[in-house]
Amino acid sequence: MMIRIFVTGGTFDKEYNELNGELFFKDTHLPEMLRLGRSRVDVDIKTLMMIDSLQMTDDDREMIAQNCIETPSDKIVITHGTDTMVETAKKLAGRIPNKTIVLTGAMIPYKFGSSDGLFNLGSALAFVQALPTGVYVAMNGRWFNWDNVWKNRETGRFEELR
Amino acid sequence: MMIRIFVTGGTFDKEYNELNGELFFKDTHLPEMLRLGRSRVDVDIKTLMMIDSLQMTDDDREMIAQNCIETPSDKIVITHGTDTMVETAKKLAGRIPNKTIVLTGAMIPYKFGSSDGLFNLGSALAFVQALPTGVYVAMNGRWFNWDNVWKNRETGRFEELR
Amino acid sequence: MMIRIFVTGGTFDKEYNELNGELFFKDTHLPEMLRLGRSRVDVDIKTLMMIDSLQMTDDDREMIAQNCIETPSDKIVITHGTDTMVETAKKLAGRIPNKTIVLTGAMIPYKFGSSDGLFNLGSALAFVQALPTGVYVAMNGRWFNWDNVWKNRETGRFEELR
Amino acid sequence: MMIRIFVTGGTFDKEYNELNGELFFKDTHLPEMLRLGRSRVDVDIKTLMMIDSLQMTDDDREMIAQNCIETPSDKIVITHGTDTMVETAKKLAGRIPNKTIVLTGAMIPYKFGSSDGLFNLGSALAFVQALPTGVYVAMNGRWFNWDNVWKNRETGRFEELR
C-alpha cells in the first residue's frame, strides 16, 4: 500500500535567507523529516510546486486535482500552506472518489527547530492509512472533513464549522 | 471525545545528566511535545511510572492494564520503552474490550533534538482516533496489530511477523 | 570584573510570528543563551532597543554611545544587527577611552535552531575579557578593529578592509 | 595565523546509540560546529583520540604534549572531556613555551541540541587568539590559568582555586 505525497510548499518548507533576512523556498524537507521520524511507510514524494498558499491560483489547484486523479495510489497526503488549505480541500472534494486524501501543513517552518511540522506529518500519515475515503484536513493533532473546517486566523488553529 | 494518555517512561522521556553523564528520568515531556505540535486534541495525561521498559515487571503491566480498564475513556495512548512494548501490548490484548489502545515510544530521547518522538506521538494520536477497537503498536509511521509485530533489534525497526 | 551587555536587537533576537508569517522582536534571548552556555561570567544585561539595524538612526547610536560612557563597567558587549554594526562601531570609536567594547550579532535568529548566535556570543564575551581597550567587531569567530572591517553582503561574512 | 585544533573526545563529541541506548564516539562534530558558527578562522583540525577523559592515560597525555610541541602553529585549542581537563592542562604547562594553548569541552553532547559546546568553542577560539602565551582552560565563558582552576563536580562548574 504505497502512499503518494504531493508537496506544494507552505510554511512547512520555508527557509530563512541569511543574506537578506527573508523567507524563501528551496527544496522540500519531507525526506529529511521522514528519516528523522524513522518512517518505514512506503511513500512516493512528488513536488508539484513550492509556493506560499496565499499565492495559489485556480490553475494550481486544478493541477493538484489532476495529480490526485492520475496517481494509481488511493492514499494521498498533500503538504500545503495553512492559509488556503481548506480552499484546496474544497476544490478536491467530490472529484476524486475512492481515495483518501489528507492535507496537512505547519505553523512554523520545519527548519526553525520549534516546528509543529513533524507532529503534523506523523498524524497526516496515520490518518491517511486509517480513515475511510474522503478529503480531510489534518492539523492540531485532529482530522476534519473538508466541509467542516476553517482556519481561525486569530488563534492560528483549525476548528470545526459546526 | 477525550483521549487518555498513560506515560510509562521509555527512551521518549529520558534526559542526560550532565553531572555524571548518565541517562535518567525526571518528568514526562508529553505536555511540552503537545504544545510544540500545537495539539488541540482533548487529552488527559497520567504518569503511571517512569522506567526503562527492560525493567518493567508483570506487576507493572498488571497496573497498566487496570488503568486501561478503569479509565472512562475508550481511546488510550500509552508511551512506552520500545524494548518490551510488544510484550505489554500482548498483556493488554483481550482484556480491555471496546477500547482502542495504541502504544508508542521513541528510539531517541525527545530532549536530544533529533528525536522521532514528536512524529510518533502525532501518529499515535491520529491512529487512536481513527482505528477501530483493539490493541496496536504505532512506530515508524505505521500501525501494527498487537499479535503481528516485533521489534527487530538489529535495525531498531518494528516489523510484521508475517 | 562585571561585563555590561547592551542589547539593541538585530537578527540575533528575531522571532517568527506564526500568525502572519513575519519576523518580529519580543524579548531578548540573551539570558536563555547564557544559561545554555552555562556561562558563569558576571554580566549585567540592559536592553537599549529592539530594532533591525537597518532602522537604526543617528539618535539611536548617540544613545548607545551615552550608555557606553555612563556605565561604570570598562568591558562592554553590544548585540547588534549585522547590517550596520560597523557604522555603530565607528560612531563609538574615539569617544569612549579606556574601555573594551565588542559588537556582535548573528546571521540566523537564535530561535531558528541553526543559529551562529551562541558561537558569536561565546567569542564576544571571550574577546571583551582578553582584548585591550578599543572598539571591535566580533563575527565569524574573529575580531576586527572598528576601522578595519566591513560586511560583505554577497557572502554574509565580515572581512578586513586591507 | 593558523590555529591548530586537537580533538581528544569528551562529552563534546558523544552520540546516542539508538540501538542499545548507550553513548559512544563516532566522528568529531568540530567541522559541523564551525560551519554552524559561520567561522572564518583559519583552523587545522586533527583528531588525536576519541575517548572519555576518565579513560585518558599518561601515555595519551604525553602524546597530546608531543603534538603540541611538534605543530608549527603557536595557537592551539584542545577539545577534551571536562573530568580530567585540568590534569591534562597541568601536564602541558611549562613544556610548550611560546605557545597559547586553550583546553575546552562541554557538559552536554553537541548532538543533544541543548549543548554548551558551541558557546564554549566560540570562546575557546577567541581566547586562543587574544590571550598571551600560556596554558588555559576555557569553560563557562571564562578563562582560567592551568594552575588556578578545578572542576566542581557538585555543580559541574569550573572555578578558581584561590
Side-chain angles (χ1 to χ4, degrees):
Chain A
M1 179 195 64
M2 190 267 289
I3 296 171
R4 194 63 155 132
I5 301 182
F6 290 128
V7 173
T8 73
T11 297
F12 221 69
D13 273 331
K14 276 189 184 162
E15 301 190 39
Y16 182 76
N17 180 338
E18 68 187 71
L19 295 184
N20 64 12
E22 290 176 6
L23 301 172
F24 75 114
F25 293 108
K26 204 164 54 180
D27 295 319
T28 180
H29 302 95
L30 259 289
E32 183 183 337
M33 294 169 76
L34 292 170
R35 263 197 310 276
L36 185 61
R38 275 97 182 130
S39 176
R40 299 292 300 161
V41 181
D42 184 17
V43 299
D44 189 0
I45 302 171
K46 183 179 178 185
T47 299
L48 299 184
M49 60 200 78
M50 282 294 267
I51 61 172
D52 192 309
S53 78
L54 290 172
Q55 250 102 58
M56 197 178 280
T57 64
D58 272 351
D59 283 354
D60 292 329
R61 290 196 170 85
E62 183 55 37
M63 196 259 265
I64 296 171
Q66 282 304 323
N67 272 279
C68 289
I69 292 166
E70 286 163 20
T71 180
S73 176
D74 58 1
K75 295 183 180 298
I76 300 168
V77 168
I78 302 173
T79 66
H80 198 289
T82 58
D83 282 322
T84 70
M85 188 185 287
V86 174
E87 208 177 319
T88 301
K90 282 193 183 114
K91 183 88 174 185
L92 301 177
R95 294 190 55 191
I96 305 125
N98 303 324
K99 298 197 178 185
T100 302
I101 301 179
V102 176
L103 293 93
T104 195
M107 294 301 289
I108 300 260
Y110 169 69
K111 289 304 277 183
F112 289 8
S114 60
S115 175
D116 52 334
L118 196 63
F119 179 82
N120 295 344
L121 182 60
S123 71
L125 279 175
F127 281 131
V128 85
Q129 291 175 75
L131 288 175
T133 59
V135 177
Y136 308 92
V137 162
M139 288 293 292
N140 303 123
R142 307 174 62 195
W143 62 272
F144 303 89
N145 269 312
W146 66 270
D147 62 350
N148 190 23
V149 59
W150 69 296
K151 179 183 171 184
N152 182 332
R153 300 218 183 162
E154 299 293 311
T155 61
R157 296 169 189 158
F158 283 75
E159 300 174 356
E160 278 139 350
L161 286 174
R162 50 184 183 269
Chain B
M1 181 194 65
M2 192 266 289
I3 296 171
R4 194 66 156 129
I5 301 182
F6 291 128
V7 172
T8 73
T11 296
F12 222 68
D13 273 331
K14 276 190 182 159
E15 300 190 41
Y16 182 77
N17 180 337
E18 66 187 72
L19 295 183
N20 64 12
E22 290 176 5
L23 300 173
F24 74 116
F25 292 108
K26 203 165 52 178
D27 295 317
T28 179
H29 301 95
L30 258 289
E32 182 183 336
M33 293 168 77
L34 292 170
R35 261 197 310 277
L36 185 60
R38 275 95 183 133
S39 176
R40 300 293 298 161
V41 181
D42 184 17
V43 299
D44 190 1
I45 302 171
K46 183 179 178 186
T47 300
L48 299 184
M49 60 200 79
M50 283 293 268
I51 61 173
D52 191 309
S53 79
L54 289 172
Q55 250 102 58
M56 196 177 280
T57 64
D58 271 351
D59 283 354
D60 292 329
R61 290 196 170 85
E62 182 55 35
M63 196 259 264
I64 296 172
Q66 282 303 322
N67 272 279
C68 289
I69 291 166
E70 286 163 20
T71 180
S73 176
D74 59 0
K75 295 184 179 298
I76 300 168
V77 168
I78 302 172
T79 66
H80 199 289
T82 57
D83 282 323
T84 69
M85 187 185 289
V86 174
E87 209 176 317
T88 301
K90 282 192 183 113
K91 183 89 174 181
L92 301 177
R95 295 190 53 192
I96 305 126
N98 304 324
K99 297 197 179 187
T100 303
I101 301 178
V102 176
L103 293 93
T104 196
M107 296 301 290
I108 300 260
Y110 169 69
K111 289 304 276 183
F112 290 7
S114 59
S115 174
D116 52 335
L118 196 62
F119 179 82
N120 294 344
L121 181 61
S123 72
L125 279 175
F127 281 132
V128 86
Q129 291 175 74
L131 288 175
T133 59
V135 177
Y136 307 92
V137 163
M139 287 293 292
N140 304 122
R142 307 174 64 193
W143 61 271
F144 303 89
N145 270 312
W146 65 270
D147 62 350
N148 191 22
V149 60
W150 68 297
K151 180 183 171 184
N152 182 331
R153 300 220 183 158
E154 298 293 312
T155 61
R157 296 169 189 158
F158 283 75
E159 300 174 358
E160 279 139 348
L161 287 174
R162 53 184 180 269
Chain C
M1 180 194 65
M2 192 266 290
I3 297 171
R4 194 67 155 128
I5 301 182
F6 290 129
V7 172
T8 73
T11 297
F12 222 67
D13 273 332
K14 276 190 182 161
E15 300 191 40
Y16 182 75
N17 180 337
E18 68 188 72
L19 295 184
N20 64 13
E22 289 177 5
L23 301 172
F24 75 115
F25 292 107
K26 205 165 52 180
D27 295 318
T28 179
H29 302 94
L30 259 289
E32 182 183 337
M33 294 168 76
L34 291 170
R35 262 197 310 278
L36 185 60
R38 275 95 183 132
S39 176
R40 300 291 300 161
V41 181
D42 184 17
V43 299
D44 190 1
I45 303 172
K46 183 179 179 186
T47 300
L48 299 185
M49 60 199 80
M50 283 293 268
I51 61 173
D52 191 309
S53 78
L54 289 172
Q55 250 102 59
M56 196 177 281
T57 64
D58 272 352
D59 283 354
D60 292 328
R61 291 197 169 85
E62 182 55 35
M63 197 259 265
I64 296 172
Q66 281 304 322
N67 272 278
C68 289
I69 291 167
E70 285 163 20
T71 181
S73 177
D74 59 0
K75 295 184 179 298
I76 301 168
V77 168
I78 303 172
T79 65
H80 198 289
T82 57
D83 282 322
T84 70
M85 186 185 288
V86 173
E87 209 176 316
T88 301
K90 282 192 183 115
K91 183 90 175 181
L92 301 177
R95 295 191 52 192
I96 305 127
N98 303 324
K99 298 197 178 187
T100 303
I101 301 179
V102 176
L103 293 94
T104 195
M107 296 301 290
I108 301 259
Y110 169 68
K111 290 304 276 183
F112 289 8
S114 59
S115 174
D116 51 336
L118 195 62
F119 180 82
N120 294 345
L121 182 60
S123 71
L125 279 175
F127 281 132
V128 86
Q129 292 175 74
L131 288 176
T133 59
V135 177
Y136 308 91
V137 163
M139 287 294 291
N140 304 124
R142 306 174 64 194
W143 62 272
F144 303 88
N145 270 311
W146 65 270
D147 62 350
N148 190 22
V149 59
W150 69 296
K151 179 183 171 184
N152 182 333
R153 301 219 182 158
E154 299 293 312
T155 61
R157 296 170 189 156
F158 283 75
E159 300 174 358
E160 279 140 347
L161 286 174
R162 54 186 179 267
Chain D
M1 180 194 64
M2 191 266 288
I3 296 172
R4 193 66 155 131
I5 301 181
F6 290 128
V7 172
T8 73
T11 297
F12 221 69
D13 273 331
K14 277 189 182 161
E15 300 190 41
Y16 182 77
N17 180 338
E18 68 187 71
L19 295 183
N20 65 11
E22 290 176 5
L23 301 173
F24 75 114
F25 292 108
K26 204 164 53 179
D27 294 317
T28 180
H29 302 95
L30 258 289
E32 183 183 337
M33 294 169 77
L34 292 171
R35 263 196 309 276
L36 184 60
R38 275 95 183 132
S39 176
R40 300 292 299 162
V41 181
D42 184 17
V43 299
D44 189 0
I45 302 171
K46 183 179 179 185
T47 299
L48 299 185
M49 60 200 78
M50 282 295 267
I51 62 172
D52 192 310
S53 78
L54 290 172
Q55 250 102 58
M56 196 178 281
T57 64
D58 271 352
D59 283 354
D60 292 329
R61 290 197 170 84
E62 182 56 36
M63 196 259 265
I64 296 172
Q66 281 305 322
N67 272 279
C68 289
I69 291 167
E70 286 163 21
T71 180
S73 176
D74 58 2
K75 295 183 179 299
I76 301 169
V77 168
I78 302 173
T79 66
H80 198 289
T82 57
D83 282 322
T84 68
M85 188 185 288
V86 174
E87 208 176 317
T88 301
K90 281 192 184 115
K91 183 87 175 184
L92 300 178
R95 294 190 53 192
I96 305 126
N98 304 323
K99 298 196 179 188
T100 302
I101 301 180
V102 177
L103 293 93
T104 195
M107 295 301 289
I108 300 260
Y110 170 68
K111 289 305 277 182
F112 290 8
S114 59
S115 174
D116 52 334
L118 196 61
F119 180 82
N120 294 345
L121 181 59
S123 72
L125 279 176
F127 281 132
V128 86
Q129 292 175 73
L131 288 175
T133 59
V135 176
Y136 308 91
V137 163
M139 287 294 290
N140 304 124
R142 306 174 64 194
W143 60 272
F144 302 89
N145 269 313
W146 65 271
D147 62 352
N148 190 23
V149 59
W150 69 297
K151 180 184 171 183
N152 182 332
R153 300 218 183 161
E154 298 294 312
T155 61
R157 295 169 190 158
F158 283 75
E159 300 175 357
E160 277 139 350
L161 287 174
R162 52 184 182 269

